């Protein structure tokens, strides 16, 4: 979708929106898949209510992008524009055991920045790509921990109320790759309350988690992490592996040889290829185990 109306372009500029025309989502997602649309980078949180009002007035649908590491985006010309927060400076401010973090901040850098201030707890998140905002939305987690456990409060734009709000941690429920945020809530900043730990000890935990990832995941390849959520009490990867599906492919979309729940773009895979592979694997798992796997990857299909 293209924004061409000069009056609208001027109104966006007045809101300090950085308009990047004809951006390819294949360059903004870790899977390297996705068509083209206009990207609107938000430099001031306070401009969001006016921005959304403007887009709605012009009947322009939108989607909210973090770091693009959990997304499968459709091919071709996309029928919505993309909103993304620009990174402020500084992204993180530490006060005692509290870390005030902008949602645009890189998650990995946040973990190491907090570690250098002797604040731990998030070691398992090292190696999870993307932004802090995306991690909040997905309740990102690994190796027995999840970001939601450390959330003290979240600043967000609530589309339903059309205003910026602050939610206390107790008002939000964080479950396995699921949160109680409304689908159109936009996370802008978070305050994390983290346990004090000596830097050396945190570093040791980070090294262990890094090693576990390196030994089990196809880190050099384009992926979106796990494609499916683990069903209660079971492992999606193990079920796919047991069916001998590692290496199964549709075009350049392929089940990783290394981790059966990671599907990789081994070249020029299209969203159509990847969706066909997902449907094929889901069907085979359901037939063999009677379990319908649910997507962990977020699909934005036109
Ligand atoms: C190699 C690899 C390993 C991974 N390992 C893990 C893992 O161990 N554990 C895990 O949980 N995940 C893992 N992931 C998946 C992914 O990194 C996480 O889900 C991450 O938190 C997504 O953040 P993002 O900023 O990239 O979000 P995006 O992919 O950009 O977006 C994901 C969803 O969040 C929404 N969103 C993004 N930012 C915001 C915001 N500020 N406000 C509101 N909504 C927003 C988007 O609209 C979309 O619905 C892995 C991915 C890869 C590629």
């Amino acid at each position: 979708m293209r924004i061409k109306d000069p009056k609208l372009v001027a109104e966006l500029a007045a809101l300090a929106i950085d308009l990047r025309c004809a951006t390819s989502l294949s360059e903004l997602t870790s899977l390297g898949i996705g068509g083209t649309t206009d990207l609107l980078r938000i430099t001031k949180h306070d401009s969001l209510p006016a921005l959304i009002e403007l887009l709605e007035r012009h009947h322009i649908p939108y989607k909210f992008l973090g770091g693009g590491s959990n997304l499968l985006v459709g091919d071709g010309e996309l029928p919505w524009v993309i909103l993304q927060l620009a990174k402020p400076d500084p992204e993180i401010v530490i006060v005692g055991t509290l870390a005030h973090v902008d949602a645009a901040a890189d998650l990995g850098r946040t973990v190491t920045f907090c570690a250098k201030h002797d604040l731990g707890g998030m070691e398992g998140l090292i190696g999870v790509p993307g932004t802090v905002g995306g991690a909040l939305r997905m309740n990102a987690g690994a190796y027995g921990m999840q970001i939601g456990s450390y959330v003290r409060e979240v600043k967000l734009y609530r589309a339903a109320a059309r205003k910026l709000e602050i939610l206390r941690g107790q008002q939000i429920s964080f479950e396995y790759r699921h949160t109680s945020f409304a689908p159109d809530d936009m996370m802008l900043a978070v305050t994390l309350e983290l346990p004090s730990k000596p830097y050396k000890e945190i570093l040791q935990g980070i090294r262990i988690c890094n090693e576990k990832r390196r030994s089990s995941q196809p880190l050099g390849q384009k992926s979106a992490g796990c494609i499916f959520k683990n069903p209660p009490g079971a492992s999606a990867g193990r079920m796919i592996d047991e069916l001998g599906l590692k290496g199964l492919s549709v075009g350049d979309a392929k089940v990783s040889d290394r981790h059966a729940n990671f599907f990789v773009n081994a070249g020029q895979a299209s969203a159509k290829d990847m969706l066909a592979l997902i449907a094929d694997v889901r069907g085979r798992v359901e037939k063999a185990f009677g379990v319908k796997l649910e997507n962990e990857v977020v699909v934005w299909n036109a």
Side-chain angles (χ1 to χ4, degrees):
M1 171 166 268
R2 300 303 148 88
I3 295 180
K4 289 186 185 136
D5 177 356
K7 198 167 157 255
L8 176 54
V9 172
E11 284 180 283
L12 290 172
L15 292 174
I17 301 298
D18 172 13
L19 174 61
R20 302 192 181 176
C21 299
T23 302
S24 170
L25 268 289
S26 65
E27 285 161 23
L28 296 179
T29 55
S30 56
L31 257 178
I33 293 176
T36 306
T37 188
D38 284 356
L39 171 70
L40 281 65
R41 303 245 309 156
I42 299 155
T43 58
K44 291 182 191 158
H45 291 172
D46 292 351
S47 66
L48 248 172
L51 170 63
I52 302 300
E53 193 271 323
L54 191 60
L55 294 176
E56 285 178 355
R57 187 154 35 91
H58 286 264
H59 308 290
I60 297 175
Y62 54 85
K63 292 197 180 283
F64 204 82
L65 176 73
S69 66
N70 201 45
L71 283 176
L72 170 55
V73 183
D75 304 310
E77 183 65 30
L78 302 169
W80 11 263
V81 296
I82 298 288
L83 311 185
Q84 190 183 41
L85 295 174
K87 289 187 198 306
D89 185 20
E91 296 170 327
I92 311 168
V93 175
I94 306 281
V95 182
T97 57
L98 300 181
H100 303 282
V101 192
D102 193 273
D106 178 83
L107 181 63
R109 270 213 307 279
T110 303
V111 175
T112 49
F113 186 90
C114 293
K116 284 178 188 157
H117 289 79
D118 298 316
L119 295 177
M122 297 197 293
E123 293 85 332
L125 290 177
I126 205 75
V128 178
T131 61
V132 167
L136 286 173
R137 157 70 66 199
M138 303 304 304
N139 189 21
Y143 309 121
M145 63 77 54
Q146 54 180 25
I147 193 167
S149 312
Y150 300 105
V151 171
R152 173 128 164 200
E153 61 183 38
V154 176
K155 177 185 171 194
L156 72 172
Y157 171 76
R158 305 217 90 171
R162 296 178 172 270
K163 60 178 186 188
L164 303 180
E165 280 184 20
I166 293 192
L167 288 184
R168 311 278 303 164
Q170 304 91 294
Q171 294 174 274
I172 311 160
S173 97
F174 289 98
E175 290 152 43
Y176 170 61
R177 305 300 169 268
H178 180 78
T179 58
S180 57
F181 294 115
D184 49 8
D185 282 347
M186 295 176 201
M187 271 52 84
L188 302 175
V190 62
T191 300
L192 300 168
E193 186 164 17
L194 299 166
S196 295
K197 262 194 201 179
Y199 178 50
K200 266 190 173 172
E201 205 179 296
I202 303 171
L203 211 55
Q204 182 60 13
I206 285 178
R207 283 201 187 109
I208 292 169
C209 293
N210 264 334
E211 192 40 49
K212 282 188 191 161
R213 267 181 206 280
R214 263 197 298 270
S215 62
S216 63
Q217 298 180 1
L219 297 186
Q221 288 183 285
K222 292 179 183 171
S223 82
C226 289
I227 287 289
F228 300 113
K229 292 184 186 178
N230 288 323
S235 156
R238 198 163 305 134
M239 289 192 275
I240 299 168
D241 200 4
E242 277 176 23
L243 293 177
L245 301 182
K246 276 182 173 168
L248 181 74
S249 61
V250 175
D252 279 339
K254 189 177 163 196
V255 178
S256 162
D257 298 316
R258 210 167 162 76
H259 189 312
N261 200 10
F262 275 56
F263 292 10
V264 300
N265 172 5
Q268 301 293 321
S270 62
K272 202 168 160 232
D273 296 335
M274 193 55 82
L275 287 167
L277 183 64
I278 292 172
D280 186 5
V281 172
R282 179 182 283 118
R284 292 183 196 224
V285 168
E286 189 171 8
K287 200 167 166 210
F289 298 100
V291 174
K292 188 159 190 185
L293 294 175
E294 202 185 314
N295 280 358
E296 178 165 330
V297 68
V298 175
V299 178
W300 288 351
N301 211 4

